[in-house]
Amino acid sequence: MDEEYDVVVLGTGLKECILSGMLSVSGKKVLHMDRNKYYGGESASITPLAEFYTKFNMGAPPAQYDKGRDWNVDLIPKFLMANGQLVKLLVHTGVTRYLEFKSVEGSYVFKSGKAHKVPATEKEALTTGLMGIFEKRKYRNLLVFINDYDPANPSTFKKFNPKEKTCQELYDYFGVDKNTQDFTGHAVALYRDDSYLKTKAEELVYRCKLYSDSVARYGKSPYLYPLYGLGELPQGFARLSAIYGGTYMLDKPGDEIVTNETGEVVGVRSDKEVAKCKMVVCDPSYAPDRCKKVGQVVRAICILNHPLPNTSDSLSAQIIIPQNQVGRESDIYVLAVSYAHNVAQKGYFLALVSAFVETANPELEIKPGLDLLGPIEQKFVTVTDLYEPVDDGTANKVFISKSFDATTHFETTCDDVLDMYRRITGADFDFSQVKHNLGEES
C-alpha cells in the first residue's frame, strides 16, 4: 500500500465503484479500499438470510426460510432504467460482462387507493383506467408531442417551445388535469416533488422520452434489475479493476485523509501505512467533517409470500405514490423483487417501502406504501441520515458522494456520479464513447 496512486477510492458503494471503474478505464492508477469485510457499503447485498436478521438484531430466521443462501437482500434496492445513463456507464466500463440483468415486470402509480399500470405509449394511454375518455385523448396528444419533439426541428414544436416554457405551461397547453400531471411528472418523468413544475419543459420531455424508450427495449416496464441483486455490481467492478491494474482492499480502514499545509489531499492513512495520491473519492462516512446532514430517509424492507396486489401477479414491480395523493411534500416509493431475480427462496418476495422523512413519526409516513403490500411476514425498518458534501472538492481534491435517497430507481444516483465525474476530470462524460447497448458488448 505504501506507494503512489492517482486516486484512492474509499467505500465500495455503487457510486464509488462506478467512478473507480470510469477512472480505471481512462488510465488512472486506482487504489480502492473499504473498512468492511464485504462489498457495497450502505447499499450492500446481505446473504445468507441469517446474516440479514443478525444485522437487525432479530435473532434467527423462522423455520420456513430454510434455504438461507437463496436470499440476497439489498439494503437499498433500486431499479435501473433500461435505456438510461447508468446502464450506458456500466456498458462503458465493461462491468456488464460479469452481470446478468432481468426486466422488471411492472411499473405502477398510486391513485385513489390502488395501483394502476403507468401508461407509457399512445396505445396504453387510450386503454388505461387512470383517466376518463376525454382526458385520454388529451394525454395521447401530449405523448405524441413528446414523441415527435426534436430540438433541431422547430416544426415539431407545434406552437409550444419547451426550451422557453415551463412544465406547468406544457400541461396547461394540452389541457391535461392534475391527476394526469401527477402520474406523468412523478411516475414517468420521475420527479420527486412538484418543484419541477416551474422548470423548463424540455427536461420533462426528455425524461418522458427516456421512459418510453426504455419500455420499448424490453416490453414490460422500463426497469432492469440484476440477478442475485445489486451486490453483484461492486463485485463486478472489483474484477474489472484487476484487469486495469487497480487494487481492491476489503477490511481496510481509511483512518485519515492526509492533507498538506494548503488543505489539498496528499494521501490516505490506514493504520500505520499511507497511500499517496492526487485525489480521494469517497462516501460521506469516510469524511463526516466535510459533510452536512440534509434530511433522513425511512425504509421498510418486508418479506412477503405473494406478489403485490393489483400488479397482475408481477414477480417484480415498482409503485410510485405521488405526493399529492397522500398529502405529502415528496413521493413514497414501493419496490418488489422475488425468487425470479434470485434474491429470495422459491415462493417469496422482498418489498421495499421508502420515503423522505417529513414528520416525527417516519414509519407512519410510509403506511400508504405498506398498505399496498398485502399481508407482511416480516418487516425491517430503518431511518437513515442523508448527507452531502459542504463543497465541490475541486480545491482540496476530496470528492464526496451524496447519501442514497429514497427513490427506488437509479436516476438521481446517476446524476450524482456524472456531477462528480465532471468535478474530478473537469469535463462532462462523453456518452458517444459508449458504442454498444446492454447485451451487445463483445
Side-chain angles (χ1 to χ4, degrees), residues 35 70 78 123 126 205 212 271 280 311 316 330 348 353 365 368 394 415 424 435 438:
R35 64 169 75 90
D70 287 358
K78 291 176 184 276
K123 182 180 177 183
L126 295 175
V205 169
S212 58
D271 198 14
V280 167
T311 62
S316 51
S330 58
Y348 287 95
V353 182
E365 292 186 50
T394 51
D415 291 342
I424 290 166
K435 304 297 184 189
L438 193 62

Side-chain angles (χ1 to χ4, degrees), residues 248-352:
Y248 262 67
M249 292 182 179
L250 294 181
D251 199 17
K252 192 76 174 172
D255 293 323
E256 180 190 3
I257 295 173
V258 183
T259 57
N260 62 18
E261 59 279 358
T262 63
E264 194 169 324
V265 70
V266 292
V268 173
R269 183 178 64 79
S270 178
D271 198 14
K272 295 178 181 176
E273 299 176 289
V274 175
K276 296 176 183 174
C277 62
K278 301 181 180 74
M279 67 178 74
V280 167
V281 174
C282 65
D283 71 49
S285 70
Y286 286 89
D289 56 322
R290 299 170 186 263
C291 297
K292 60 184 177 184
K293 181 179 171 181
V294 292
Q296 292 182 308
V297 172
V298 55
R299 296 183 177 94
I301 297 173
C302 303
I303 297 177
L304 315 177
N305 64 1
H306 57 83
L308 298 184
N310 300 309
T311 62
S312 305
D313 291 336
S314 294
L315 295 175
S316 51
Q318 176 180 258
I319 307 172
I320 291 179
I321 305 176
Q323 60 176 90
N324 295 324
Q325 291 291 323
V326 285
R328 282 176 49 84
E329 297 295 317
S330 58
D331 298 348
I332 299 172
Y333 300 88
V334 179
L335 168 153
V337 287
S338 69
Y339 59 92
H341 277 91
N342 299 344
V343 296
Q345 75 183 64
K346 185 75 172 173
Y348 287 95
F349 292 72
L350 290 168
L352 171 84

Side-chain angles (χ1 to χ4, degrees), residues 18-19 25 29 48 88 114 122 151 188 199 209 211 238 278 326 331 407 421:
I18 295 171
L19 286 163
V25 168
K29 184 179 179 182
K88 290 184 171 70
K114 65 174 285 193
E122 295 161 36
V188 179
T199 64
K209 275 179 178 284
Y211 189 99
K278 301 181 180 74
V326 285
D331 298 348
T407 59
Y421 182 85

Side-chain angles (χ1 to χ4, degrees), residues 108-286:
Y108 295 83
V109 65
F110 176 86
K111 183 202 171 193
S112 304
K114 65 174 285 193
H116 299 260
K117 189 176 187 305
V118 176
T121 65
E122 295 161 36
K123 182 180 177 183
E124 287 180 346
L126 295 175
T127 58
T128 179
L130 276 168
M131 300 170 274
I133 187 163
F134 295 113
E135 186 64 19
K136 285 176 180 176
R137 290 176 181 167
K138 294 175 185 175
Y139 181 60
R140 181 185 174 277
N141 291 337
L142 172 62
L143 283 183
V144 169
F145 172 80
I146 287 170
N147 210 33
D148 292 345
Y149 175 70
D150 177 359
N153 183 0
S155 69
T156 65
F157 295 7
K158 299 174 185 171
K159 299 180 183 176
F160 185 92
N161 187 348
K163 292 175 185 287
E164 297 173 357
K165 306 277 187 151
T166 66
C167 297
Q168 186 63 65
E169 288 172 316
L170 176 64
Y171 291 143
D172 294 344
Y173 181 80
F174 284 94
V176 296
D177 65 19
K178 284 292 183 187
N179 164 59
T180 303
Q181 295 174 30
D182 245 11
F183 76 74
T184 303
H186 294 262
V188 179
L190 301 179
Y191 287 104
R192 292 178 287 175
D193 56 50
D194 277 349
S195 60
Y196 82 94
L197 290 167
K198 298 175 183 175
T199 64
K200 292 290 184 280
E202 189 173 49
E203 176 68 15
L204 171 67
V205 169
Y206 286 144
R207 285 177 174 229
C208 292
K209 275 179 178 284
L210 170 61
Y211 189 99
S212 58
D213 289 348
S214 295
V215 171
R217 283 198 67 78
Y218 295 102
K220 291 183 178 178
S221 87
Y223 301 113
L224 301 173
Y225 196 70
L227 293 184
Y228 303 101
L230 297 172
E232 294 296 292
L233 281 164
Q235 292 184 54
F237 276 109
R239 291 180 205 157
L240 181 79
S241 179
I243 293 173
Y244 287 97
T247 305
Y248 262 67
M249 292 182 179
L250 294 181
D251 199 17
K252 192 76 174 172
D255 293 323
E256 180 190 3
I257 295 173
V258 183
T259 57
N260 62 18
E261 59 279 358
T262 63
E264 194 169 324
V265 70
V266 292
V268 173
R269 183 178 64 79
S270 178
D271 198 14
K272 295 178 181 176
E273 299 176 289
V274 175
K276 296 176 183 174
C277 62
K278 301 181 180 74
M279 67 178 74
V280 167
V281 174
C282 65
D283 71 49
S285 70
Y286 286 89

Side-chain angles (χ1 to χ4, degrees), residues 407-442:
T407 59
T408 44
H409 53 76
F410 272 119
E411 293 308 287
T412 51
T413 300
C414 196
D415 291 342
D416 192 26
V417 168
L418 291 172
D419 182 53
M420 289 180 71
Y421 182 85
R422 183 184 309 115
R423 286 183 272 130
I424 290 166
T425 65
D428 287 319
F429 179 73
D430 179 10
F431 278 96
S432 69
Q433 297 177 63
V434 186
K435 304 297 184 189
H436 306 286
N437 290 313
L438 193 62
E440 298 173 354
E441 311 93 320
S442 55

